[in-house]
Protein backbone atom coordinates (compact mmCIF):
# COMPACT_ATOMS: atom_id res chain seq x y z
CA UNK A 1 0.00 0.00 0.00
CA UNK A 2 1.35 3.42 -0.97
CA UNK A 3 1.26 6.18 1.64
CA UNK A 4 0.10 9.60 0.46
CA UNK A 5 1.66 12.53 2.29
CA UNK A 6 -0.74 15.41 2.94
CA UNK A 7 0.71 18.75 1.89
CA UNK A 8 -1.06 21.47 3.84
CA UNK A 9 -0.11 25.07 3.20
CA UNK A 10 -0.88 28.51 4.64
CA UNK A 11 -0.35 31.63 2.57
CA UNK A 12 -0.49 35.18 3.90
CA UNK A 13 -1.58 37.64 1.20
CA UNK A 14 -1.97 41.19 2.49
CA UNK A 15 -2.73 39.95 5.99
CA UNK A 16 -5.37 37.50 4.81
CA UNK A 17 -4.48 33.88 5.52
CA UNK A 18 -5.42 31.27 2.94
CA UNK A 19 -4.99 27.64 3.86
CA UNK A 20 -5.43 24.53 1.83
CA UNK A 21 -4.22 21.10 0.92
CA UNK A 22 -2.19 20.42 -2.19
CA UNK A 23 -2.98 17.31 -4.18
CA UNK A 24 -0.60 14.42 -4.81
CA UNK A 25 1.09 15.59 -8.04
CA UNK A 26 4.61 16.47 -9.15
CA UNK A 27 3.54 20.11 -9.42
CA UNK A 28 2.23 20.20 -5.85
CA UNK A 29 5.40 18.50 -4.58
CA UNK A 30 7.60 21.08 -6.36
CA UNK A 31 5.61 23.98 -4.92
CA UNK A 32 5.69 22.41 -1.46
CA UNK A 33 9.48 21.94 -1.66
CA UNK A 34 9.91 25.62 -2.63
CA UNK A 35 8.25 26.77 0.61
CA UNK A 36 9.00 29.14 2.26
CA UNK A 37 9.14 31.91 -0.33
CA UNK A 38 7.87 35.47 -0.60
CA UNK A 39 5.75 36.77 -3.43
CA UNK A 40 3.43 39.65 -4.13
CA UNK A 41 -0.27 38.76 -4.21
CA UNK A 42 -2.36 40.08 -7.09
CA UNK A 43 -6.08 40.06 -7.83
CA UNK A 44 -7.38 39.16 -11.27
CA UNK A 45 -11.08 38.61 -11.84
CA UNK A 46 -12.28 36.25 -9.15
CA UNK A 47 -8.92 34.90 -8.09
CA UNK A 48 -5.95 35.91 -6.02
CA UNK A 49 -2.62 34.71 -7.25
CA UNK A 50 1.02 34.87 -6.27
CA UNK A 51 4.11 34.00 -8.25
CA UNK A 52 5.96 30.88 -7.16
CA UNK A 53 9.60 29.90 -7.81
CA UNK A 54 8.46 26.87 -9.83
CA UNK A 55 8.31 26.56 -13.62
CA UNK A 56 6.44 23.46 -14.74
CA UNK A 57 4.14 22.37 -17.54
CA UNK A 58 0.40 21.92 -16.99
CA UNK A 59 0.14 18.51 -15.33
CA UNK A 60 -3.59 18.09 -14.65
CA UNK A 61 -5.51 20.80 -16.52
CA UNK A 62 -9.13 21.46 -15.58
CA UNK A 63 -11.69 23.63 -17.33
CA UNK A 64 -13.72 24.58 -14.26
CA UNK A 65 -12.78 25.55 -10.72
CA UNK A 66 -14.84 26.32 -7.65
CA UNK A 67 -14.49 28.63 -4.68
CA UNK A 68 -11.76 27.35 -2.41
CA UNK A 69 -9.75 25.64 -5.15
CA UNK A 70 -6.02 26.19 -5.42
CA UNK A 71 -4.42 25.79 -8.83
CA UNK A 72 -1.05 26.27 -10.51
CA UNK A 73 -1.06 28.51 -13.58
CA UNK A 74 1.95 27.42 -15.66
CA UNK A 75 1.94 30.37 -18.08
CA UNK A 76 2.33 32.82 -15.19
CA UNK A 77 4.25 30.54 -12.82
CA UNK A 78 1.65 31.37 -10.21
CA UNK A 79 -0.40 29.74 -7.49
CA UNK A 80 -4.06 30.80 -7.83
CA UNK A 81 -6.63 30.91 -5.04
CA UNK A 82 -10.22 30.97 -6.23
CA UNK A 83 -11.98 33.05 -3.63
CA UNK A 84 -15.10 34.68 -5.04
Amino acid sequence: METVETKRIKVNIGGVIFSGTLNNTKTAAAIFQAIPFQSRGEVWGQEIYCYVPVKLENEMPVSEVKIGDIAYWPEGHALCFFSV
Side-chain angles (χ1 to χ4, degrees), residues 3 5 15 24 29 33 36 39 51 53 60 64 67 77 80 82 84:
T3 304
E5 179 184 336
N24 191 26
Q33 286 182 328
S39 180
Y51 299 102
M60 292 178 57
E64 292 185 24
I67 294 173
H77 313 295
C80 304
F82 297 90
V84 179

Side-chain angles (χ1 to χ4, degrees), residues 1-7 21-25:
M1 179 185 290
E2 186 176 324
T3 304
V4 176
E5 179 184 336
T6 301
K7 295 173 182 68
T21 303
L22 301 178
N23 60 17
N24 191 26
T25 63

Side-chain angles (χ1 to χ4, degrees), residues 42-61:
E42 302 285 339
V43 176
W44 186 71
Q46 297 181 339
E47 66 188 65
I48 299 169
Y49 65 95
C50 62
Y51 299 102
V52 296
V54 171
K55 294 182 180 180
L56 298 168
E57 296 295 320
N58 202 343
E59 184 177 355
M60 292 178 57

